[in-house]
């Protein structure tokens, strides 16, 4: 009998603090009009003092576990996707394991930037389908606000903080991830980078003074790459699953820029009502974006039992990923 890995529960956490475009007008030379027209974003959430990537992840994970009706001690593994860990080490996944009391779970972090959740979902699904695990928590969490240069208008208006989680459980029902694709173009790494603080450029007074511990991005070059790769990834996972665009119920793209989403929608010839968009409220939360979008699509009834959903993402690396899921519990 074929084994699948259904999404048995999902959860999200958005910090309370809201930063609007009008707030940003008081911080850098920008305008609400520019941000809305060029990105579609109206506001984003920021972690407050005392919150960090692990605490956001724990809130999302608890909700997902509760919904899956699964005690944390029944988890076999925690895979945590982030580009903004609490520390280089220990892994943020281990901090989450401790906070949840998931005493039987292995735990590791996975770094694939905005594609991280789809990478983690693919790894987790394969570990269940291969028989190594029964229950896996996949959680994506980001506190990008801690790594943004709040004086750089070309990046600080784009990002937000949040976490999303999914509990994967083994089942013989054809549910969960059916096909996926993972890709990378390492030659484009310099286009989106946090240059210093790692082994290549350890922290010095000079790196601090030079703003090398903040996100640096060449946004317009990533834009074209994003449109191409997100479209191709969506088509590839449909083809692998033997399904057509007409059979797709909902497309959940990475939420970085409304113009990117619209351009992908046009390439795929998808009507607006079959494309999920929530970036106006949250901005780009990197790896956390897609699980939060899936949660909200399910909460609002857009995702129903048996629906075919395709998600695709791109991010630093450069990386990209696509996933086709059949929605529904084990
Ligand atoms: N307010 C006002 N003006 C601005 C702002 C701002 N916040 N930011 C940039 N500008 C100006 C620029 O200085 C430039 O001015 P100039 O023409 O006088 O030089 C002008 O606006 C146009 O700048 P562009 O960068 O060409 O603007 P573009 O239309 O490409 O939009 C944006 C920029 C929104 C960044 C877009 O390129 C984009 O979304 N790219 C994708 C980036 C992305 O998604 N990155 C995340 C990857 S995910 C991850 O891994 C974290």
């Amino acid at each position: 009998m074929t084994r699948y890995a259904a999404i048995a529960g999902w959860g999200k956490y958005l910090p309370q603090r809201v930063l609007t475009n009008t707030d940003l007008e008081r911080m850098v030379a920008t305008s609400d009009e520019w941000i809305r027209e060029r990105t579609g974003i109206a506001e984003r959430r920021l972690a407050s003092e005392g919150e960090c990537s692990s605490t956001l992840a724990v809130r999302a994970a608890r909700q997902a576990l509760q919904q899956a009706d699964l005690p944390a001690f029944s988890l076999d593994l925690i895979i945590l996707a982030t580009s903004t860990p609490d520390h280089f080490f220990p892994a943020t996944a281990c901090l989450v394991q401790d906070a949840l009391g998931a005493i039987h779970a292995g735990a590791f972090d996975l770094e694939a930037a905005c594609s991280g959740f789809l990478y983690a979902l693919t790894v987790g699904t394969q570990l269940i389908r291969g028989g190594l695990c029964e229950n896996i928590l996949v959680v994506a969490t980001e506190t990008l606000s801690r790594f943004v240069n709040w004086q750089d208008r070309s990046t600080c208006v784009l990002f937000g903080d949040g976490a999303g989680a999914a509990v994967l459980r083994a089942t013989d029902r054809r549910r969960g991830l059916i096909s996926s694709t993972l890709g990378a173009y390492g030659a484009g790494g310099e286009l989106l980078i946090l240059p210093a603080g790692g082994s290549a450029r350890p922290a010095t007074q000079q790196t601090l003074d030079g703003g090398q511990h903040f996100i640096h991005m060449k946004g317009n070059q990533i834009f074209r790459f994003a449109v191409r790769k997100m479209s191709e990834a969506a088509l590839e996972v449909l083809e692998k699953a033997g399904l057509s665009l007409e059979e797709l119920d909902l497309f959940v793209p990475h939420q970085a820029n409304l113009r990117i989403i619209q351009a992908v929608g046009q390439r795929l010839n998808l009507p607006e009502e079959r494309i999920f968009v929530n970036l106006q409220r949250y901005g780009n939360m990197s790896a956390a974006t897609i699980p939060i979008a899936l949660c909200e699509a399910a909460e609002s009834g857009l995702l129903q039992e048996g629906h075919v959903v395709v998600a695709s993402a791109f991010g630093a690396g450069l990386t990209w990923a696509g996933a086709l899921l059949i929605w529904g519990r084990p």
Side-chain angles (χ1 to χ4, degrees):
M1 198 178 293
T2 311
R3 240 169 108 92
Y4 295 95
I7 297 188
W10 51 90
K12 63 170 186 182
Y13 176 70
L14 282 315
Q16 297 293 304
R17 191 171 153 213
V18 176
L19 186 79
T20 65
N21 292 349
T22 316
D23 295 329
L24 280 161
E25 285 176 352
R26 290 190 282 270
M27 297 161 65
V28 284
T30 191
S31 66
D32 176 47
E33 193 191 355
W34 191 97
I35 302 171
R36 280 178 199 264
E37 265 179 20
R38 297 293 183 110
T39 73
I41 300 164
E43 58 186 46
R44 68 286 293 143
R45 301 297 181 90
L46 300 191
S48 56
E49 221 178 299
E51 287 186 314
C52 54
S53 290
S54 66
T55 65
L56 269 52
V58 168
R59 302 281 292 254
R62 284 205 175 113
Q63 204 181 23
L65 286 165
Q66 191 179 14
Q67 206 187 55
D69 199 17
L70 190 80
F73 64 74
S74 297
L75 284 172
D76 304 309
L77 186 66
I78 297 173
I79 309 176
L80 184 144
T82 190
S83 302
T84 53
D86 286 13
H87 312 283
F88 267 148
F89 56 85
T92 306
C94 293
L95 306 176
V96 171
Q97 186 244 17
D98 178 46
L100 293 176
I103 50 173
H104 302 300
F108 69 93
D109 286 1
L110 184 154
E111 210 279 271
C114 303
S115 313
F117 179 78
L118 297 184
Y119 267 69
L121 185 67
T122 303
V123 173
T125 297
Q126 292 310 316
L127 289 173
I128 286 178
R129 292 187 74 158
L132 194 70
C133 299
E134 291 294 313
N135 296 301
I136 296 180
L137 172 71
V138 177
V139 55
T141 183
E142 301 284 6
T143 44
L144 290 147
S145 65
R146 302 274 157 80
F147 301 92
V148 155
N149 180 352
W150 290 104
Q151 290 168 357
D152 174 10
R153 68 176 183 176
S154 69
T155 52
C156 75
V157 303
L158 302 174
F159 299 107
D161 301 337
V167 171
L168 308 184
R169 183 182 296 162
T171 178
D172 54 11
R173 294 188 77 212
R174 194 166 181 264
R175 293 289 178 267
L177 186 71
I178 303 300
S179 62
S180 70
T181 179
L182 308 176
Y185 174 66
E190 292 285 330
L191 296 176
L192 180 48
I193 187 167
L194 201 151
S199 63
R201 220 173 294 169
T204 61
Q205 192 57 50
Q206 211 177 359
T207 60
L208 275 173
D209 294 343
Q212 299 291 297
H213 298 269
F214 294 128
I215 295 168
H216 290 243
M217 182 174 77
K218 296 194 176 72
N220 46 16
Q221 291 183 47
I222 297 174
F223 195 103
R224 290 187 287 275
F225 171 86
V227 173
R228 199 174 76 245
K229 285 303 174 190
M230 287 218 296
S231 314
E232 287 173 5
L235 292 173
E236 197 180 323
V237 293
L238 277 162
E239 196 189 326
K240 278 184 179 171
L243 293 171
S244 69
L245 272 168
E246 288 65 43
E247 291 165 286
L248 171 62
D249 293 294
L250 193 68
F251 177 51
V252 178
H254 175 52
Q255 313 275 312
N257 185 316
L258 188 58
R259 289 186 297 139
I260 294 176
I261 295 174
Q262 286 167 340
V264 174
Q266 274 166 14
R267 279 195 177 206
L268 299 178
N269 205 15
L270 280 175
E272 260 180 39
E273 60 273 14
R274 281 203 278 153
I275 305 176
F276 188 83
V277 177
N278 65 358
L279 96 167
Q280 61 277 14
R281 285 178 284 131
Y282 305 135
N284 179 355
M285 297 173 290
S286 193
T289 291
I290 286 187
I292 290 173
L294 287 173
C295 261
E296 295 198 340
E299 281 166 9
S300 65
L302 277 171
L303 274 182
Q304 306 267 353
E305 171 71 32
H307 271 175
V308 174
V309 53
V310 166
S312 66
F314 69 96
L318 299 173
T319 59
W320 67 90
L324 183 143
L325 294 126
I326 298 184
W327 197 254
R329 293 176 193 260

